Amino acid sequence: MSDLIESPATTDDALDALVAEAEARLSAAPDVTTLENEKARFVGKGGVFTEMLKGLGRLDPEARRTEGARINAAKSRFEAFLKLARELLARQQLDVKLSAEAIDVTLPGRGLVGGGIHPVMRTWRRVEEIFRSIGFDVADGPEIETDWMSFTALNNPENHPARSMQDTFYVDIDDPEGRPLNLRPHTSPMQVRYARMHAERMRDETGASRGITDIKVIAPGRTYRIDSDATHSPMFHQVEGLWLGEDISFADLKGVYTAFLEAFFETAALSVRFRPSYFPFTEPSAEIDMRFETGPLAGRWLEISGSGQVHPSVVTNFGLDPEKHIGFAFGSGIERLAMLRYGVDDLRLFYEGDLRFLEQFQ
Ligand code: DAH
Protein backbone atom coordinates (compact mmCIF):
# COMPACT_ATOMS: atom_id res chain seq x y z
CA MET A 1 0.00 0.00 0.00
CA SER A 2 3.07 2.15 -0.01
CA ASP A 3 2.07 3.67 -3.32
CA LEU A 4 -1.05 5.05 -1.68
CA ILE A 5 0.11 6.75 1.38
CA GLU A 6 3.38 7.00 3.25
CA SER A 7 2.18 6.88 6.80
CA PRO A 8 -1.12 6.36 8.62
CA ALA A 9 -3.45 9.26 7.93
CA THR A 10 -3.74 11.50 10.85
CA THR A 11 -4.96 14.69 9.30
CA ASP A 12 -8.36 15.42 7.79
CA ASP A 13 -6.65 16.43 4.57
CA ALA A 14 -4.81 13.16 4.36
CA LEU A 15 -8.03 11.21 5.01
CA ASP A 16 -9.90 13.27 2.42
CA ALA A 17 -7.12 12.64 -0.07
CA LEU A 18 -7.27 8.92 0.65
CA VAL A 19 -11.06 8.76 0.16
CA ALA A 20 -10.75 10.83 -3.04
CA GLU A 21 -8.13 8.48 -4.41
CA ALA A 22 -10.20 5.47 -3.45
CA GLU A 23 -13.25 6.92 -5.16
CA ALA A 24 -11.25 7.65 -8.29
CA ARG A 25 -10.00 4.08 -8.40
CA LEU A 26 -13.45 2.60 -7.85
CA SER A 27 -14.91 4.84 -10.56
CA ALA A 28 -12.27 3.74 -13.04
CA ALA A 29 -12.87 0.02 -12.52
CA PRO A 30 -14.19 -1.34 -15.85
CA ASP A 31 -15.55 -4.59 -14.44
CA VAL A 32 -16.58 -6.35 -11.25
CA THR A 33 -13.26 -8.14 -10.74
CA THR A 34 -11.26 -4.92 -10.88
CA LEU A 35 -13.77 -3.22 -8.59
CA GLU A 36 -13.53 -5.97 -5.97
CA ASN A 37 -9.71 -5.89 -6.16
CA GLU A 38 -9.80 -2.15 -5.51
CA LYS A 39 -12.08 -2.73 -2.55
CA ALA A 40 -9.56 -5.21 -1.11
CA ARG A 41 -6.81 -2.67 -1.53
CA PHE A 42 -8.63 -0.36 0.95
CA VAL A 43 -10.69 -2.45 3.32
CA GLY A 44 -9.41 -5.99 2.77
CA LYS A 45 -6.97 -7.77 5.06
CA GLY A 46 -3.87 -5.56 4.91
CA GLY A 47 -5.93 -2.85 3.18
CA VAL A 48 -5.15 0.83 3.85
CA PHE A 49 -8.05 1.46 6.23
CA THR A 50 -7.47 -1.86 7.96
CA GLU A 51 -3.82 -1.07 8.59
CA MET A 52 -4.68 2.39 9.86
CA LEU A 53 -7.15 0.97 12.35
CA LYS A 54 -4.59 -1.58 13.48
CA GLY A 55 -2.11 1.27 14.13
CA LEU A 56 -4.53 2.77 16.67
CA GLY A 57 -3.23 0.35 19.29
CA ARG A 58 -0.10 2.41 19.62
CA LEU A 59 -2.02 5.56 20.64
CA ASP A 60 -3.18 6.56 24.06
CA PRO A 61 -6.88 5.92 24.80
CA GLU A 62 -8.02 9.55 24.21
CA ALA A 63 -6.21 9.89 20.89
CA ARG A 64 -7.31 6.38 19.93
CA ARG A 65 -10.98 7.40 20.29
CA THR A 66 -10.86 10.58 18.21
CA GLU A 67 -8.46 9.13 15.65
CA GLY A 68 -10.54 5.94 15.42
CA ALA A 69 -13.75 7.92 14.88
CA ARG A 70 -12.18 9.93 12.03
CA ILE A 71 -10.76 6.89 10.32
CA ASN A 72 -14.06 5.01 10.62
CA ALA A 73 -15.94 8.01 9.21
CA ALA A 74 -13.61 8.04 6.20
CA LYS A 75 -13.99 4.27 5.83
CA SER A 76 -17.83 4.65 5.88
CA ARG A 77 -17.64 7.22 3.09
CA PHE A 78 -15.54 4.76 1.15
CA GLU A 79 -18.05 1.95 1.73
CA ALA A 80 -21.01 4.11 0.72
CA PHE A 81 -19.21 4.98 -2.49
CA LEU A 82 -18.35 1.32 -3.06
CA LYS A 83 -22.04 0.45 -2.85
CA LEU A 84 -22.86 3.07 -5.49
CA ALA A 85 -20.00 1.95 -7.72
CA ARG A 86 -21.23 -1.65 -7.59
CA GLU A 87 -24.76 -0.65 -8.56
CA LEU A 88 -23.51 1.55 -11.38
CA LEU A 89 -21.33 -1.20 -12.80
CA ALA A 90 -24.18 -3.74 -12.64
CA ARG A 91 -26.48 -1.35 -14.49
CA GLN A 92 -23.83 -0.64 -17.13
CA GLN A 93 -23.30 -4.33 -17.69
CA LEU A 94 -27.01 -4.91 -18.06
CA ASP A 95 -27.19 -2.11 -20.60
CA VAL A 96 -24.37 -3.64 -22.62
CA LYS A 97 -26.10 -7.02 -22.53
CA LEU A 98 -29.46 -5.58 -23.55
CA SER A 99 -28.08 -3.58 -26.41
CA ALA A 100 -26.17 -6.62 -27.66
CA GLU A 101 -29.40 -8.59 -27.66
CA ALA A 102 -31.49 -5.84 -29.13
CA ILE A 103 -33.48 -6.61 -32.24
CA ASP A 104 -34.06 -3.82 -34.67
CA VAL A 105 -37.65 -4.44 -35.64
CA THR A 106 -37.41 -1.82 -38.37
CA LEU A 107 -34.80 -3.77 -40.37
CA PRO A 108 -36.10 -5.31 -43.62
CA GLY A 109 -36.55 -9.12 -43.56
CA ARG A 110 -33.87 -11.45 -44.84
CA GLY A 111 -36.18 -12.99 -47.44
CA LEU A 112 -38.36 -16.05 -46.90
CA VAL A 113 -37.48 -19.30 -48.59
CA GLY A 114 -40.67 -21.01 -49.70
CA GLY A 115 -41.08 -24.69 -48.95
CA GLY A 116 -42.10 -27.11 -51.64
CA ILE A 117 -43.75 -30.43 -52.18
CA HIS A 118 -41.33 -33.37 -52.18
CA PRO A 119 -41.05 -35.03 -55.62
CA VAL A 120 -42.35 -38.32 -54.22
CA MET A 121 -45.40 -36.55 -52.75
CA ARG A 122 -45.91 -34.68 -56.00
CA THR A 123 -45.95 -37.98 -57.82
CA TRP A 124 -48.31 -39.48 -55.23
CA ARG A 125 -50.74 -36.55 -55.75
CA ARG A 126 -50.45 -36.77 -59.51
CA VAL A 127 -51.27 -40.49 -59.45
CA GLU A 128 -54.32 -39.77 -57.23
CA GLU A 129 -55.53 -37.02 -59.54
CA ILE A 130 -55.31 -39.19 -62.64
CA PHE A 131 -57.08 -42.18 -61.10
CA ARG A 132 -59.77 -39.98 -59.57
CA SER A 133 -60.39 -38.57 -63.02
CA ILE A 134 -61.15 -42.08 -64.29
CA GLY A 135 -63.52 -42.85 -61.44
CA PHE A 136 -61.34 -44.48 -58.80
CA ASP A 137 -61.86 -43.89 -55.09
CA VAL A 138 -58.72 -43.20 -53.01
CA ALA A 139 -58.21 -45.16 -49.78
CA ASP A 140 -55.70 -45.08 -46.96
CA GLY A 141 -54.89 -47.72 -44.37
CA PRO A 142 -52.51 -48.83 -41.61
CA GLU A 143 -48.78 -49.22 -42.15
CA ILE A 144 -48.54 -51.74 -39.31
CA GLU A 145 -50.41 -54.79 -40.53
CA THR A 146 -51.48 -58.20 -39.38
CA ASP A 147 -49.95 -61.26 -40.90
CA TRP A 148 -53.35 -62.21 -42.29
CA MET A 149 -53.80 -58.94 -44.17
CA SER A 150 -50.25 -58.72 -45.51
CA PHE A 151 -49.98 -62.34 -46.58
CA THR A 152 -52.56 -64.99 -45.76
CA ALA A 153 -55.63 -63.21 -47.15
CA LEU A 154 -53.63 -62.57 -50.30
CA ASN A 155 -53.28 -66.29 -50.92
CA ASN A 156 -49.81 -66.37 -49.46
CA PRO A 157 -50.09 -69.01 -46.73
CA GLU A 158 -47.70 -69.35 -43.82
CA ASN A 159 -44.49 -71.11 -44.84
CA HIS A 160 -45.25 -70.61 -48.53
CA PRO A 161 -42.02 -69.78 -50.37
CA ALA A 162 -43.71 -66.85 -52.14
CA ARG A 163 -43.50 -64.94 -48.85
CA SER A 164 -39.77 -64.66 -49.35
CA MET A 165 -40.44 -62.40 -52.36
CA GLN A 166 -40.69 -59.74 -49.67
CA ASP A 167 -38.09 -59.32 -46.95
CA THR A 168 -40.37 -58.07 -44.26
CA PHE A 169 -39.90 -56.03 -41.11
CA TYR A 170 -41.69 -57.53 -38.12
CA VAL A 171 -42.92 -55.61 -35.12
CA ASP A 172 -42.30 -56.84 -31.58
CA ILE A 173 -45.99 -57.07 -30.80
CA ASP A 174 -48.32 -59.89 -31.83
CA ASP A 175 -51.67 -59.67 -33.54
CA PRO A 176 -54.71 -61.15 -31.71
CA GLU A 177 -53.92 -64.58 -33.16
CA GLY A 178 -50.42 -64.47 -31.70
CA ARG A 179 -48.66 -63.81 -34.98
CA PRO A 180 -46.19 -60.98 -35.23
CA LEU A 181 -47.41 -57.73 -36.74
CA ASN A 182 -45.43 -56.42 -39.68
CA LEU A 183 -44.65 -53.14 -41.36
CA ARG A 184 -46.63 -53.80 -44.54
CA PRO A 185 -44.25 -54.88 -47.30
CA HIS A 186 -46.75 -53.78 -49.97
CA THR A 187 -50.01 -51.89 -50.26
CA SER A 188 -51.86 -55.06 -51.32
CA PRO A 189 -53.47 -55.55 -47.86
CA MET A 190 -55.49 -52.44 -48.72
CA GLN A 191 -57.26 -54.51 -51.39
CA VAL A 192 -58.50 -56.76 -48.61
CA ARG A 193 -59.40 -53.97 -46.19
CA TYR A 194 -61.24 -51.92 -48.77
CA ALA A 195 -63.04 -54.86 -50.40
CA ARG A 196 -64.20 -56.26 -47.02
CA MET A 197 -65.55 -52.86 -46.00
CA HIS A 198 -67.32 -52.63 -49.32
CA ALA A 199 -68.71 -56.16 -49.03
CA GLU A 200 -70.06 -55.27 -45.58
CA ARG A 201 -71.83 -52.22 -46.96
CA MET A 202 -73.30 -54.25 -49.79
CA ARG A 203 -75.15 -56.66 -47.50
CA ASP A 204 -78.70 -55.96 -46.41
CA GLU A 205 -80.15 -56.57 -42.88
CA THR A 206 -80.56 -60.30 -43.58
CA GLY A 207 -76.94 -60.56 -44.65
CA ALA A 208 -77.87 -61.08 -48.30
CA SER A 209 -75.98 -59.23 -51.00
CA ARG A 210 -77.71 -56.17 -52.38
CA GLY A 211 -76.23 -57.03 -55.77
CA ILE A 212 -73.01 -56.14 -57.41
CA THR A 213 -71.58 -52.68 -57.36
CA ASP A 214 -68.05 -52.10 -58.56
CA ILE A 215 -65.11 -51.76 -56.25
CA LYS A 216 -62.85 -49.27 -57.93
CA VAL A 217 -60.10 -47.96 -55.72
CA ILE A 218 -56.47 -47.00 -55.49
CA ALA A 219 -54.55 -47.04 -52.21
CA PRO A 220 -51.27 -45.13 -52.25
CA GLY A 221 -49.03 -45.28 -49.20
CA ARG A 222 -45.81 -46.15 -47.44
CA THR A 223 -44.41 -49.65 -47.54
CA TYR A 224 -41.39 -51.28 -45.89
CA ARG A 225 -38.87 -53.96 -46.79
CA ILE A 226 -35.37 -54.93 -45.74
CA ASP A 227 -33.91 -53.67 -48.96
CA SER A 228 -31.48 -50.85 -49.67
CA ASP A 229 -29.57 -49.91 -52.82
CA ALA A 230 -29.77 -47.44 -55.73
CA THR A 231 -33.25 -48.65 -56.67
CA HIS A 232 -34.56 -49.90 -53.29
CA SER A 233 -35.17 -48.12 -50.02
CA PRO A 234 -36.33 -49.76 -46.75
CA MET A 235 -39.23 -47.31 -46.76
CA PHE A 236 -40.81 -46.63 -50.10
CA HIS A 237 -44.19 -45.89 -51.62
CA GLN A 238 -46.58 -47.94 -53.64
CA VAL A 239 -49.96 -47.40 -55.14
CA GLU A 240 -52.34 -50.33 -55.14
CA GLY A 241 -55.18 -50.50 -57.61
CA LEU A 242 -58.27 -52.70 -57.56
CA TRP A 243 -61.25 -52.80 -59.86
CA LEU A 244 -63.76 -55.56 -59.22
CA GLY A 245 -67.17 -55.87 -60.82
CA GLU A 246 -69.36 -58.23 -62.73
CA ASP A 247 -67.22 -58.30 -65.79
CA ILE A 248 -63.90 -56.51 -65.31
CA SER A 249 -61.31 -58.21 -67.48
CA PHE A 250 -57.64 -58.17 -68.28
CA ALA A 251 -58.55 -55.98 -71.27
CA ASP A 252 -59.83 -53.37 -68.81
CA LEU A 253 -56.53 -53.55 -66.94
CA LYS A 254 -54.68 -52.90 -70.19
CA GLY A 255 -56.92 -49.98 -71.08
CA VAL A 256 -56.86 -48.37 -67.64
CA TYR A 257 -53.16 -48.76 -67.03
CA THR A 258 -52.16 -47.56 -70.50
CA ALA A 259 -54.42 -44.52 -70.12
CA PHE A 260 -52.83 -43.86 -66.72
CA LEU A 261 -49.27 -44.02 -68.11
CA GLU A 262 -50.13 -41.71 -71.00
CA ALA A 263 -51.65 -39.19 -68.62
CA PHE A 264 -48.85 -39.54 -66.10
CA PHE A 265 -46.03 -39.06 -68.60
CA GLU A 266 -48.07 -36.63 -70.70
CA THR A 267 -47.36 -38.48 -73.92
CA ALA A 268 -49.00 -41.02 -76.14
CA ALA A 269 -45.59 -41.90 -77.55
CA LEU A 270 -45.14 -44.93 -75.34
CA SER A 271 -45.73 -48.66 -75.60
CA VAL A 272 -46.96 -50.93 -72.84
CA ARG A 273 -46.55 -54.69 -72.62
CA PHE A 274 -47.87 -57.24 -70.15
CA ARG A 275 -45.23 -59.86 -69.45
CA PRO A 276 -46.39 -63.11 -67.78
CA SER A 277 -45.26 -63.31 -64.16
CA TYR A 278 -46.26 -64.76 -60.81
CA PHE A 279 -47.99 -63.26 -57.79
CA PRO A 280 -49.92 -65.43 -55.34
CA PHE A 281 -52.89 -63.06 -55.30
CA THR A 282 -53.47 -62.87 -59.05
CA GLU A 283 -54.10 -65.41 -61.80
CA PRO A 284 -52.97 -64.76 -64.44
CA SER A 285 -50.28 -62.34 -63.28
CA ALA A 286 -48.25 -59.92 -65.33
CA GLU A 287 -45.41 -57.47 -65.00
CA ILE A 288 -46.28 -54.25 -66.78
CA ASP A 289 -43.38 -52.89 -68.83
CA MET A 290 -43.35 -49.63 -70.71
CA ARG A 291 -41.16 -48.09 -73.38
CA PHE A 292 -40.84 -44.45 -74.36
CA GLU A 293 -40.68 -43.86 -78.09
CA THR A 294 -38.94 -40.51 -77.67
CA GLY A 295 -36.69 -38.83 -75.13
CA PRO A 296 -33.55 -39.96 -73.30
CA LEU A 297 -35.00 -43.32 -72.24
CA ALA A 298 -36.45 -44.14 -75.67
CA GLY A 299 -36.30 -47.74 -76.84
CA ARG A 300 -35.69 -49.44 -73.46
CA TRP A 301 -38.32 -51.61 -71.80
CA LEU A 302 -38.81 -50.43 -68.22
CA GLU A 303 -40.54 -52.49 -65.56
CA ILE A 304 -43.21 -50.37 -63.96
CA SER A 305 -45.80 -52.45 -62.08
CA GLY A 306 -47.07 -55.84 -60.97
CA SER A 307 -50.62 -56.71 -61.96
CA GLY A 308 -53.12 -59.44 -62.70
CA GLN A 309 -56.66 -60.75 -62.45
CA VAL A 310 -57.55 -61.14 -58.76
CA HIS A 311 -57.29 -64.79 -57.67
CA PRO A 312 -60.64 -66.41 -56.76
CA SER A 313 -59.45 -67.35 -53.24
CA VAL A 314 -58.54 -63.72 -52.65
CA VAL A 315 -62.03 -62.64 -53.78
CA THR A 316 -63.40 -65.14 -51.24
CA ASN A 317 -61.21 -63.56 -48.55
CA PHE A 318 -62.72 -60.21 -49.55
CA GLY A 319 -66.05 -61.69 -48.38
CA LEU A 320 -67.33 -61.77 -51.95
CA ASP A 321 -68.37 -64.51 -54.35
CA PRO A 322 -65.66 -65.18 -56.97
CA GLU A 323 -68.35 -66.51 -59.30
CA LYS A 324 -69.83 -63.01 -59.36
CA HIS A 325 -66.98 -60.62 -58.72
CA ILE A 326 -64.01 -60.54 -61.03
CA GLY A 327 -61.50 -57.89 -61.82
CA PHE A 328 -57.91 -56.79 -61.80
CA ALA A 329 -55.37 -55.41 -59.39
CA PHE A 330 -52.02 -53.75 -59.73
CA GLY A 331 -49.27 -52.48 -57.46
CA SER A 332 -46.82 -49.86 -58.69
CA GLY A 333 -43.82 -48.19 -57.08
CA ILE A 334 -44.30 -44.45 -56.69
CA GLU A 335 -40.54 -43.75 -56.51
CA ARG A 336 -40.17 -45.73 -59.72
CA LEU A 337 -42.74 -43.50 -61.43
CA ALA A 338 -41.05 -40.38 -60.03
CA MET A 339 -37.60 -41.53 -61.18
CA LEU A 340 -38.83 -42.10 -64.74
CA ARG A 341 -40.79 -38.88 -64.90
CA TYR A 342 -37.96 -36.70 -63.57
CA GLY A 343 -35.00 -38.68 -64.91
CA VAL A 344 -33.57 -39.48 -61.46
CA ASP A 345 -31.20 -42.44 -61.54
CA ASP A 346 -30.63 -43.05 -57.81
CA LEU A 347 -33.63 -43.48 -55.54
CA ARG A 348 -31.60 -42.58 -52.44
CA LEU A 349 -31.50 -38.96 -53.64
CA PHE A 350 -35.16 -38.68 -52.66
CA TYR A 351 -34.31 -39.30 -49.00
CA GLU A 352 -31.07 -37.40 -48.47
CA GLY A 353 -32.82 -34.07 -47.91
CA ASP A 354 -30.25 -32.27 -50.09
CA LEU A 355 -31.82 -28.94 -51.03
CA ARG A 356 -29.77 -28.71 -54.23
CA PHE A 357 -31.61 -31.83 -55.40
CA LEU A 358 -35.04 -30.98 -53.99
CA GLU A 359 -35.13 -27.38 -55.23
CA GLN A 360 -35.08 -28.61 -58.82
CA PHE A 361 -38.65 -29.82 -58.44
CA GLN A 362 -40.14 -26.55 -57.22
N1 DAH B 1 -47.74 -56.44 -54.09
C1 DAH B 1 -46.82 -56.67 -55.19
C2 DAH B 1 -45.42 -56.29 -54.74
O1 DAH B 1 -45.28 -55.48 -53.88
C3 DAH B 1 -47.18 -55.85 -56.39
C4 DAH B 1 -48.45 -56.29 -57.01
C5 DAH B 1 -48.42 -57.25 -57.99
C6 DAH B 1 -49.66 -55.79 -56.60
C7 DAH B 1 -49.58 -57.69 -58.60
C8 DAH B 1 -50.84 -56.22 -57.20
C9 DAH B 1 -50.77 -57.18 -58.20
O2 DAH B 1 -52.02 -55.76 -56.85
O3 DAH B 1 -51.93 -57.58 -58.78
O4 DAH B 1 -44.49 -56.80 -55.28
Side-chain angles (χ1 to χ4, degrees), residues 126 257-270 272:
R126 188 174 170 74
Y257 209 89
T258 305
F260 161 68
L261 289 177
E262 289 177 356
F264 182 82
F265 291 108
E266 295 173 279
T267 175
L270 52 81
V272 183

Side-chain angles (χ1 to χ4, degrees), residues 111-137:
L112 291 178
V113 181
I117 309 289
H118 190 279
V120 171
M121 288 309 297
R122 259 175 204 276
T123 305
W124 174 332
R125 290 185 181 187
R126 188 174 170 74
V127 169
E128 275 189 16
E129 245 167 61
I130 296 169
F131 277 104
R132 271 190 210 282
S133 78
I134 42 181
F136 279 75
D137 191 11

Side-chain angles (χ1 to χ4, degrees), residues 166 185-186 188 191 225 238 240-241 279 281-282 306-308 329-331:
Q166 291 158 348
H186 51 182
S188 302
Q191 289 187 34
R225 287 185 206 176
Q238 284 191 335
E240 195 74 15
F279 297 101
F281 30 91
T282 42
S307 68
F330 60 84

